[in-house]
């Protein structure tokens, strides 16, 4: 994650009223292999999690990234407090215990202890986690790299062939082996089609931090760099149908959406991010996010735009690719 400035704030532009209009999205967290709550029925797999080190934490974002062991396996666990939703306020006020901390004139502070079901913590587990996962979640200094079309061929491409994350989770989604019940929309066409589903960073409890990804059926497009005008129909299809689906399902119009691709992505199978405009999603900064509408226009103007163009992106200090750019004297 290049950008660690994720925040769950409303930008005060009215997404709140939208979230009131919109029905709560159905199907809160399910893992694609079973229904929500299944894990708790079969026991708490984290009960014997042994912490090795805290990779990163943030008081402002209210999350913590932990590296540790689950049995014999390396694991990364991410705990995150989620936003307080308006629709649970009545229950929160009536059903909680309130402990007074201090009172002074008209001011008082309390510790409010809500019922357990209103106090859930979004938890993501990566197990077995590779060294690359551990590095991905560690707070690290970043450096901006300049990559020409030639650099991509001679430095980046050989590196991603050897080193990139497995995209097995993507194939599981496309083949309905995981998260099938979370799919929000599918165009099954093998050339132009895609699957749209909630990103696992989104708990689907409120649309203020809406985050979906569109994953293309085609398996031969690694990233932005592979795109040419040949892919315009595919990109337009994703843009159009993605926006329509999000409007229908969540009541969020295109003017409230940020639709973009990452370069570099973590996973080299083409996918498009759809996030709520008011949500500063991790990685939505200009150094990594490329608006889909700009990508479409650039390819219309120059069919080989992304083959030839110098692209900039941040790499973390411990990223092997950064070492290759240094060795090649490109940094
Ligand atoms: P990316 O641009 O390749 O990299 O985006 P990033 O993770 O550095 O942003 C991949 C997107 O897929 C991210 O937004 C992830 O949160 C999301 N994602 C990753 N995994 C492993 C899963 C998964 O198993 N299920 C779902 N639904 N989303 C995932």
């Amino acid at each position: 994650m290049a950008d660690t400035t994720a925040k769950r704030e409303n930008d005060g532009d009215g997404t709140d009223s939208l979230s009131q209009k919109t029905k709560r999205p159905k199907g809160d967290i399910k893992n694609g292999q079973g229904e929500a709550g299944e894990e708790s029925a079969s026991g708490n797999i984290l009960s014997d999690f042994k912490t090795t080190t805290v990779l990163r934490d943030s008081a402002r974002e209210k999350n913590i990234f932990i590296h540790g062991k689950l049995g014999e396996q390396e694991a990364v666990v991410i705990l995150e407090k989620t936003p307080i939703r308006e629709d649970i306020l009545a229950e929160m006020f009536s059903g909680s215990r309130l402990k007074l901390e201090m009172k002074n004139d008209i001011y008082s502070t309390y510790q409010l202890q809500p019922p357990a079901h209103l106090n859930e913590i979004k938890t993501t587990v990566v197990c077995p986690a590779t060294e690359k996962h551990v590095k991905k979640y560690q707070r690290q200094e970043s450096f901006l790299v300049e990559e020409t079309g030639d650099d991509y061929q001679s430095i980046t491409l050989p590196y991603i062939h050897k080193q990139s994350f497995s995209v097995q989770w993507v194939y599981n989604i496309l083949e309905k082996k995981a998260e099938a019940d979370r799919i929000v929309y599918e165009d099954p066409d093998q050339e132009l089609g895609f699957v749209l589903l909630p990103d696992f960073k989104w708990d689907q409890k409120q649309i203020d931090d809406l985050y979906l990804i569109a994953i293309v059926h085609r398996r031969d497009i690694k990233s932005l760099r592979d795109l040419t005008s040949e892919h315009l129909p595919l990109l337009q299809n994703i843009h159009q149908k993605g926006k329509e689906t999000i409007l229908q399902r969540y009541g969020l119009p295109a003017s409230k959406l940020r639709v973009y691709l990452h370069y570099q992505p973590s996973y080299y199978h083409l996918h498009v991010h759809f996030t709520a405009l008011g949500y500063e999603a991790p990685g939505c900064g200009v150094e990594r996010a490329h608006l889909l509408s700009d990508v479409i226009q650039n390819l219309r103007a120059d069919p080989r735009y992304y083959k030839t163009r110098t692209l900039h992106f941040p790499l973390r200090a411990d990223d092997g690719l950064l070492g290759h750019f240094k060795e090649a004297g490109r940094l």
Side-chain angles (χ1 to χ4, degrees):
M1 236 177 262
D3 181 345
T4 55
T5 55
K7 60 175 179 165
R8 292 170 175 275
E9 286 175 5
N10 189 315
D11 62 0
D13 62 1
T15 35
D16 259 345
S17 59
L18 273 166
S19 72
Q20 285 162 31
K21 268 190 259 157
T22 308
K23 274 190 271 144
R24 182 171 152 171
K26 36 179 181 151
D28 294 352
I29 289 299
K30 289 170 191 160
N31 64 14
Q33 310 260 350
E35 294 297 303
E38 197 172 81
E39 196 66 78
S40 56
S42 60
N44 170 7
I45 58 150
L46 291 178
S47 59
D48 65 347
F49 178 77
K50 302 269 182 307
T51 298
T52 313
T53 172
V54 171
L55 300 170
R56 177 169 120 207
D57 63 340
S58 163
R60 188 171 67 87
E61 292 162 25
K62 300 184 180 54
N63 59 22
I64 184 163
F65 296 69
I66 313 147
H67 174 209
K69 284 210 146 185
L70 258 182
E72 290 306 302
Q73 293 184 311
E74 299 294 329
V76 171
V77 173
I78 304 166
L79 303 177
E80 181 178 8
K81 294 213 179 181
T82 49
I84 299 168
R85 301 198 317 269
E86 199 171 332
D87 60 317
I88 57 136
L89 288 181
E91 194 186 352
M92 179 92 101
F93 288 135
S94 62
S96 300
R97 283 187 57 204
L98 199 62
K99 274 171 55 188
L100 180 70
E101 282 188 327
M102 73 91 194
K103 187 160 175 49
N104 182 350
D105 188 35
I106 59 169
Y107 307 100
S108 42
T109 66
Y110 297 87
Q111 284 292 341
L112 185 138
Q113 297 175 339
H117 69 281
L118 299 182
N119 203 16
E120 288 172 339
I121 292 185
K122 181 176 187 307
T123 304
T124 307
V125 179
V126 184
C127 183
T130 64
E131 206 186 320
K132 211 166 146 65
H133 286 109
V134 174
K135 284 185 175 167
K136 175 177 161 85
Y137 294 118
Q138 217 157 25
R139 199 181 295 286
Q140 279 267 326
E141 198 182 350
S142 290
F143 297 88
L144 197 72
V145 172
E146 205 180 283
E147 181 200 69
T148 63
D150 286 347
D151 291 335
Y152 174 71
Q153 292 299 334
S154 63
I155 306 173
T156 310
L157 192 56
Y159 183 78
I160 59 184
H161 276 147
K162 269 198 315 208
Q163 293 285 335
S164 55
F165 279 127
S166 160
V167 290
Q168 188 54 51
W169 67 273
V170 171
Y171 296 157
N172 288 346
I173 289 172
L174 295 176
E175 291 165 17
K176 317 287 158 35
K177 291 180 179 159
E179 305 190 51
D181 53 347
R182 286 162 43 89
I183 293 176
V184 170
Y185 175 81
E186 176 171 16
D187 176 343
D189 189 285
Q190 291 303 302
E191 280 292 303
L192 302 182
F194 65 97
V195 167
L196 181 73
L197 82 168
D199 191 282
F200 76 175
K201 290 203 274 281
W202 186 36
D203 67 4
Q204 302 181 68
K205 300 242 161 97
Q206 59 285 308
I207 61 163
D208 307 62
D209 58 349
L210 174 139
Y211 200 145
L212 293 125
I213 39 169
I215 302 176
V216 302
H217 275 298
R218 283 179 68 157
R219 298 189 179 196
D220 59 340
I221 315 170
K222 283 185 286 306
S223 75
L224 194 61
R225 272 286 186 210
D226 285 342
L227 294 175
T228 64
S229 55
E230 180 227 325
H231 303 106
L232 279 169
L234 169 68
L235 299 174
Q236 281 156 342
N237 193 38
I238 295 172
H239 206 196
Q240 200 47 42
K241 293 192 178 140
K243 288 189 300 188
E244 278 167 21
T245 305
I246 291 174
L247 177 62
Q248 269 169 24
R249 168 104 180 207
Y250 304 104
L252 208 58
S255 59
K256 290 286 178 187
L257 284 180
R258 185 190 293 112
V259 185
Y260 57 98
L261 293 90
H262 275 156
Y263 193 74
Q264 300 282 336
S266 295
Y267 304 95
Y268 289 89
H269 175 111
L270 194 79
H271 56 275
V272 176
H273 302 249
F274 287 76
T275 61
L277 187 63
Y279 170 50
E280 229 179 90
C284 76
V286 291
E287 73 280 26
R288 191 159 180 233
H290 297 252
L291 283 182
L292 180 57
S293 49
D294 286 343
V295 173
I296 291 173
Q297 283 197 64
N298 291 335
L299 289 174
R300 277 197 193 125
D302 174 0
R304 292 180 48 80
Y305 186 94
Y306 290 102
K307 296 276 184 200
T308 54
R309 183 82 183 176
T310 295
L311 296 175
H312 295 78
F313 49 84
L315 287 178
R316 296 148 51 87
D318 62 2
D319 194 314
L321 185 56
L322 186 75
H324 284 66
F325 269 84
K326 280 184 180 157
E327 276 167 30
R330 299 287 295 117
L331 201 79

